[in-house]
Amino acid sequence: MYTILPRSREAVLGVEVTGTIDITQERELIAKAEELIAQHGKIAVLVVLGEHVGISFEAAKADIKWVLSNMKHLSKVAIVTDSKLLAALVAVDATFARMVGIQEKHFDRDEIETAWHWIES
């Protein structure tokens, strides 16, 4: 399940994910992102990951396909989680994201305000 965070505005999309994202929810998120891209050209995304999050295979496939075809429309990605594994994966992914002009950072959950300031700047 996901929730659009109330601090989302203009070209910044904040999403909190809890539980498992299915293909229907993934399509809703993609539609929201595409709506913002149509309005602003480039967007920044903040994703807060709760404990025990997951994604269905179909949703993961759709997400990867969408990201690969829309990288030019992403300026920043902030991943907020206390998972050490995900923090390490973000660090690796940030290297590749930088190559295509996307800034990507990990923040611990207690750094949520810092993450918002970074994504909004």
Side-chain angles (χ1 to χ4, degrees):
M1 181 171 85
Y2 73 91
T3 304
I4 303 292
L5 298 171
R7 193 161 166 177
S8 300
R9 65 176 184 269
E10 298 178 16
V12 175
L13 177 61
V15 178
E16 182 168 15
V17 178
T18 56
T20 300
I21 297 289
D22 64 22
I23 188 62
T24 301
Q25 294 166 334
E26 179 64 25
R27 287 181 181 142
E28 291 170 359
L29 284 169
I30 287 171
K32 180 65 177 169
E34 288 178 346
E35 176 185 319
L36 293 175
I37 288 168
Q39 293 172 5
H40 302 284
K42 280 196 169 222
I43 63 171
V45 180
L46 180 140
V47 180
V48 180
L49 298 173
E51 292 183 30
H52 311 294
V53 295
I55 188 167
S56 73
F57 177 77
E58 275 186 311
K61 188 170 109 178
D63 185 71
I64 291 167
K65 182 179 176 184
W66 186 86
V67 168
L68 289 175
S69 62
N70 286 278
M71 287 187 290
K72 64 184 173 272
H73 299 294
L74 299 172
S75 60
K76 290 182 177 180
V77 176
I79 305 296
V80 182
T81 179
D82 286 336
S83 166
K84 299 300 179 208
L85 174 60
L86 290 176
L89 291 173
V90 169
V92 171
D93 191 57
T95 301
F96 296 104
R98 212 173 13 258
M99 290 179 195
V100 294
I102 302 169
Q103 296 178 57
E104 184 175 5
K105 276 185 154 182
H106 163 264
F107 297 87
D108 288 329
R109 286 187 65 100
D110 64 355
E111 299 175 304
I112 185 76
E113 193 60 32
T114 303
W116 275 111
H117 285 298
W118 181 77
I119 206 78
E120 292 169 336
S121 66

